[in-house]
Each structure stands twice: as structure tokens, then as C-alpha cells.
Amino acid sequence: MRIGVRLWELASRASPTRDLRDAAMPFLEDLHAVVGHHVQLGVLEDDEVLFIERLSNPGAVINVTRIAGRLPLHASSSGLVLLANASADLQDRILRRPLTSYTANTISDPKTLRTVLAEIRRTGVAVCPGFIHDDALGIAVPLKDSAGGVAAALSVIVPCADNPMAHIPALQAAAHGIRRELGRPLVPAPPER
């Protein structure tokens, strides 16, 4: 058990996502208070979305993601935002593979997926009703870095009955706040003992 805790400690200190997560936490907490269900932050890792943070409430709608969990890019709102803004090579690689369906709503047709990715680039929002679970609606927006590239995806998971348009302004405001925070000079960490 001691080795596991020590490895976790070292990995947490060395993680390139630590600054992103630290800058995002106050905004994630505020968004979580507004949404009342799940709020999560995902980054592109290889050919998947890796979730680096998730806030949830007891009794919230079902959500299969976990911190340090992964999902295919085509199947979740966060993954679709990341895939829509990824390189053409990565998009082509994903579109050439068989696309797993989790529900009848999961996009598994490459032509349809290509159309959806173009719409996400145009609108800046992915809305995925019942893509992973029939009862859950994923809504995600890109979190841009200072150069204008997409560094992460910020998403909420709410009941399918919710109106997605009601959550988009709060998601966009949180993403804007995180981007602003990431642009500030970092305060040096205290020396380790």
C-alpha cells in the first residue's frame, strides 16, 4: 500500500495536467453548484479522452466516467469536442476504425460523425443525448489555450430531459474563466522539504 501512495504522490507532482486542473477547480466548483449533476474536465490522451477531474452529487444522473478514466473520442461530448479540434490525421485514424455503439444514439457511422464534427467546430458545442447511457445528456465546450488551440474539454452530464441550451452559457463562462486563469503568471510553488 505504501508504494502505491508514493507513486500517486510523485505522479501527481509531475503531471502536466496539474496546472490545468488547479486553474480549473474554482470554475468547476461554481459550474457544479449551478448544474447540480456532473461536471468534468477531459484532455486528449492518445486516441481517447482522459478525464482529469470530475465533480458529482449524490443522486445525480448516471455517469460512467471516473477521474483517470478514459472513453473513446466518438462516444462522449468531451471526446467529440477534442476530436472536432484534433489534427486531420487523428480524425482520419478514428474514422477508419469501427466505432463502438454504447446506445442507439451513439454515432457509429463515419460519414455522420464527420458531419457532427464540422457542426461542433462551427458552434463550439457538443450535445450528446444518450450517447453513453440512455438517461444521460452530455454537453461539452472546448477549453482553449493562450494560442487558441483546444487544450481540454469542459462538460456537464445531466438528465436527458434537461434543456441543453440552459447549460451552455454556464459552460462557456466557466471555460472562458479557466482560459483567463491559465493566462496569468503562475505563482511559484514553495520548495519541497
Side-chain angles (χ1 to χ4, degrees), residues 150-162:
V150 174
L154 179 61
S155 62
V156 297
I157 308 299
V158 297
C160 261
D162 276 20

Side-chain angles (χ1 to χ4, degrees), residues 121-177:
R121 280 189 298 277
R122 187 183 72 74
T123 63
V125 179
V127 178
C128 302
F131 275 35
I132 296 285
H133 191 280
D134 289 327
D135 297 335
L137 166 65
I139 309 160
V141 298
L143 201 161
K144 296 188 176 182
D145 60 24
S146 59
V150 174
L154 179 61
S155 62
V156 297
I157 308 299
V158 297
C160 261
D162 276 20
N163 175 6
M165 300 317 234
H167 300 290
I168 292 170
L171 267 166
Q172 291 171 328
H176 180 73

Side-chain angles (χ1 to χ4, degrees), residues 23 78 83-85 118 132 146 181:
S78 292
L83 184 57
N85 293 283
I132 296 285
S146 59
E181 189 64 28

Side-chain angles (χ1 to χ4, degrees), residues 16-95:
T17 60
R18 189 174 128 210
D19 290 341
L20 171 59
R21 185 194 168 279
D22 290 349
M25 277 309 292
F27 299 96
L28 293 174
E29 289 167 349
D30 287 349
L31 182 59
H32 183 248
V34 169
V35 171
H37 283 271
H38 307 283
V39 174
Q40 45 199 38
L41 185 62
V43 296
L44 181 63
E45 180 65 25
D46 298 323
D47 292 352
E48 299 173 304
V49 56
L50 170 66
F51 293 94
I52 61 172
E53 188 56 75
R54 180 183 121 166
L55 302 176
S56 299
N57 275 340
V61 70
I62 190 163
N63 184 1
V64 300
T65 62
R66 301 278 179 255
I67 294 174
R70 294 170 180 251
L71 284 174
L73 292 171
H74 77 282
S76 70
S77 57
S78 292
L80 285 172
V81 162
L82 294 169
L83 184 57
N85 293 283
S87 69
D89 288 343
L90 176 59
Q91 289 180 22
D92 289 342
R93 192 166 61 240
I94 297 299
L95 290 164

